[in-house]
Amino acid sequence: MTPRLSRRRALVAAAAAGLGLPAAATATAAEPARRGGPFQSLRAATFNASLNRGREGQLLEDLATGKDAQIRAVAEVIQINSPDILLLNEFDHDDEGRGVDLFREKYLEVPQNGQSPAFYPYAFTAPVNTGVPSGLDLNRDGTVGGPDDAWGFGQFPGQYGMVVLSRYPILADQVRTFQNLRWADMPHNLLPTEFYGPEISPQLRLSSKSHWDVPVQIGTDVLHVLAAHPTPPSFDGPEKRNQRRNHDEIRLWVDYLQPGRRSQWIVDDAGTRGGLEPSAPFVILGDLNSDPADGDSWPGAIEQLLRHPRVQDPKPSSDGAVEAAETQGGANAEHGGEARYDTADFAEPTPGNLRVDYVLPARGLQIASSAVYWPRRGEPGSELTGSHPFPTSDHRLVRVDLQVKA
């Protein structure tokens, strides 16, 4: 057994115990950071890559071949955009971290369609709530079991998981995870207690997957990567349990950024209480499943974060999203929001294309540029973002370039 494998197994075992430690780093050194004078450019990105499968272990099998067409296309999108820090949503979790290693070694570190390899020596992944049996009748259908009765909707534990990849060191001993935080502990929550009843309501977990605070060392500074993937505000009944949960999952970050009493209800999986220090730089990454103007979100769900005094919204955009909305028509023609900000192709039959994927830096960080990777038809890369059946995902990679201290 090599030292790298031994170290990986120890770290992942600790993560499974709720300590939130990263999967193994590859042996390859990080690429040099882009520099320019006293500052350097850092690209942060989020990508719901649809690297989820319908059967436990299936993603590992596909990754092991090194030849899966969809995974190769996902890797090519990442290589083209070359983020320094990347959150992948919908990447099935395995407790040993094999999927993360296979994805890097057999796809990202291999040139895809002539692109340069992408090396990420540091990675973080941890258990999520999707597919984890609750032992409770959460959908109130009179039976217990199945994806609707898991803490987060999923066919098996870890489906639709998350991964943070980084070219900079992840401070493993400072990571905070919030997988087990109870929804009822949030003051003034939207929990539909009448639907769930007095037995179930106090036990429900807030995060449908998890919420992570992953500190990354960049020079002498530490950037807090706040990663999440709230539940879609759909697929429920008149009680609107998913709409409500989506709103409150987003609100967790709102409270986390508030000093003092507002964040004292928040307790991480290691038992530490409170939110982020007022002076700490951060970037929020994730498929937050909420559009400011359209779709099925609870009123004000994403606005509570976009209007937060510590958050700035670079509003990444693309011409490809405008073209797609015009070509597809349908629900897109009735939208109140601008199509250029869309990040997901949900055209048929409803709700149309939406802005649901976000990179939201702290106000103290300087933004150099931002974009949604959605080429127009016929442009290079458009074959990677076509319509259904999607070559990669129904979501697009969203990126923001920041100026940070060298």
Side-chain angles (χ1 to χ4, degrees), residues 26-84:
T26 63
T28 310
E31 291 182 342
R34 295 183 286 269
R35 297 182 180 274
F39 293 91
Q40 65 189 51
S41 177
L42 181 139
R43 176 166 291 176
T46 189
F47 188 17
N48 182 331
S50 295
L51 293 177
N52 59 282
R53 299 294 186 263
R55 173 174 55 82
E56 189 169 13
Q58 185 179 353
L59 179 62
L60 291 177
E61 295 169 7
D62 293 345
L63 288 165
T65 68
K67 299 178 180 179
D68 184 274
Q70 185 239 351
I71 304 175
R72 290 182 64 182
V74 167
E76 185 177 348
V77 168
I78 294 170
Q79 290 173 351
I80 290 170
N81 288 274
S82 191
D84 297 301

Side-chain angles (χ1 to χ4, degrees), residues 282-306:
F282 64 86
V283 58
I284 298 170
L285 301 178
D287 172 5
L288 303 186
N289 270 317
S290 182
D291 184 286
D294 304 298
D296 299 324
S297 292
W298 190 266
I302 193 62
E303 286 89 345
Q304 62 183 331
L305 192 56
L306 297 179

Side-chain angles (χ1 to χ4, degrees), residues 69-310:
Q70 185 239 351
I71 304 175
R72 290 182 64 182
V74 167
E76 185 177 348
V77 168
I78 294 170
Q79 290 173 351
I80 290 170
N81 288 274
S82 191
D84 297 301
I85 298 173
L86 170 65
L87 171 66
L88 290 174
N89 287 132
E90 297 198 2
F91 188 107
D92 290 348
H93 174 77
D94 66 280
D95 287 340
E96 293 185 351
R98 290 179 56 215
V100 179
D101 286 342
L102 287 169
F103 183 52
R104 289 183 291 187
E105 294 167 6
K106 292 184 174 290
Y107 292 89
L108 291 177
E109 296 173 7
V110 176
Q112 304 293 343
N113 198 27
Q115 299 298 325
S116 297
F119 296 93
Y120 294 97
Y122 309 98
F124 174 83
T125 190
V128 292
N129 285 324
T130 39
V132 177
S134 68
L136 302 169
D137 180 14
L138 299 187
N139 64 353
R140 315 305 284 151
D141 67 351
T143 62
V144 175
D148 270 328
D149 288 337
W151 289 124
F153 181 89
Q155 300 286 343
F156 55 85
Q159 191 180 29
Y160 312 113
M162 307 191 297
V163 177
V164 174
L165 299 174
S166 177
R167 290 181 172 141
Y168 295 88
I170 291 173
L171 303 180
D173 60 344
Q174 298 179 30
V175 171
R176 301 182 69 187
T177 65
F178 301 91
Q179 180 189 8
N180 299 314
L181 186 64
R182 292 180 301 182
W183 191 356
D185 291 341
M186 172 182 279
H188 311 295
N189 59 68
L190 296 179
L191 174 63
T193 54
E194 291 186 2
F195 174 79
Y196 287 114
E199 178 188 357
I200 293 177
S201 294
Q203 301 183 61
L204 289 170
R205 297 179 183 182
L206 175 58
S207 294
S208 54
K209 287 82 177 178
S210 190
H211 286 66
W212 299 340
D213 178 349
V214 181
V216 178
Q217 186 78 51
I218 302 172
T220 59
D221 289 340
V222 175
L223 178 70
H224 290 259
V225 175
L226 306 184
H229 184 192
T231 191
S234 309
F235 315 115
D236 54 10
E239 80 290 338
K240 304 297 183 183
R241 64 188 187 277
N242 289 328
Q243 284 190 14
R244 293 166 179 267
R245 189 178 191 181
N246 173 270
H247 175 281
D248 282 356
E249 286 195 71
I250 294 171
R251 200 195 119 188
L252 173 54
W253 284 148
V254 175
D255 289 3
Y256 192 68
L257 297 177
Q258 295 288 110
R261 183 179 302 177
R262 179 75 179 265
S263 60
Q264 282 303 297
W265 69 272
I266 301 173
V267 181
D268 64 29
D269 294 328
T272 302
R273 185 177 296 276
L276 190 64
E277 294 182 1
S279 60
F282 64 86
V283 58
I284 298 170
L285 301 178
D287 172 5
L288 303 186
N289 270 317
S290 182
D291 184 286
D294 304 298
D296 299 324
S297 292
W298 190 266
I302 193 62
E303 286 89 345
Q304 62 183 331
L305 192 56
L306 297 179
R307 296 173 182 173
H308 196 288
R310 292 185 66 181

